[in-house]
Amino acid sequence: MLKTESEFKQRVCELVSQIPFGRVVTYGDLAISSGHPNAARIVGQIAHFGPPDLPWHRVVNRMGGLASGYYGGRECHKRMLETEGIRVDVNFIIINFEEYRWRLTA
DNA sequence: CGAGTGACCGCAA
DNA sequence: ATTGCGGCCACTC
C-alpha cells in the first residue's frame, strides 16, 4: 500500500495539475474526487502550502468565486482567469462558471 | 508532540 | 431569502 501520509494531497495535487487550460474546478469536487466529500478545507490548505507549480488559480469555491488567500490577491487571480479566457465578474465571480467548470472523472 | 488554523461546504433557525 | 454555526482532514508553528 502507498504511504498513508497525504494520499489526499497527492490526489488533489495531481488533479489540479491536470486541469486543462481555460477550465476551472471547485474545492468540493477536488475533495470528492480525492475520496473525501467534505474535505474541501484541506484542499485550501494544500493550495496555500502546496506546490506553486500547479494552476491553483483555476481552483475556485462552490459559487465560482475567487478565493481570498491567493498570492497577490484576488486581482492577480482574476487576471489569471481572464488570461485563460474566462470572464470574471467585478465581484470576482466567474461568469458562466458552470460552463467553464471542468468535470472530474470521479 | 500538541494546538491552532484554514483559499470550504452543507445544513439549520 | 438571508444569516450563523459546525464539521471534516491536513498542514504549519
Side-chain angles (χ1 to χ4, degrees):
Chain A
M1 293 295 272
L2 288 312
K3 61 274 178 188
T4 57
E5 48 183 298
S6 39
E7 174 189 324
F8 189 82
K9 181 186 173 190
Q10 286 280 12
R11 208 77 188 192
V12 176
C13 187
E14 201 66 31
L15 290 168
V16 175
S17 65
Q18 285 160 30
I19 300 174
F21 182 89
R23 215 65 105 178
V24 283
V25 196
T26 70
Y27 296 95
D29 281 1
L30 286 169
I32 295 167
S33 300
S34 300
H36 291 269
N38 53 329
R41 306 187 60 146
I42 312 161
V43 180
Q45 292 296 62
I46 298 168
H48 190 78
F49 298 99
D53 291 14
L54 303 182
W56 296 109
H57 55 269
R58 293 179 188 157
V59 186
V60 293
N61 61 21
R62 204 50 177 135
M63 299 186 299
L66 282 55
S68 22
Y70 193 83
Y71 180 75
R74 296 177 283 249
E75 300 177 28
C76 188
H77 198 161
K78 181 185 173 197
R79 287 184 180 180
M80 291 289 283
L81 293 172
E82 288 187 336
T83 301
E84 305 246 333
I86 301 173
R87 295 178 187 170
V88 182
D89 187 302
V90 295
N91 289 309
F92 302 99
I93 306 299
I94 297 175
I95 304 172
N96 302 332
F97 167 63
E98 290 291 335
E99 205 171 307
Y100 291 112
R101 192 175 180 185
W102 179 48
R103 300 272 191 147
L104 294 165
T105 57

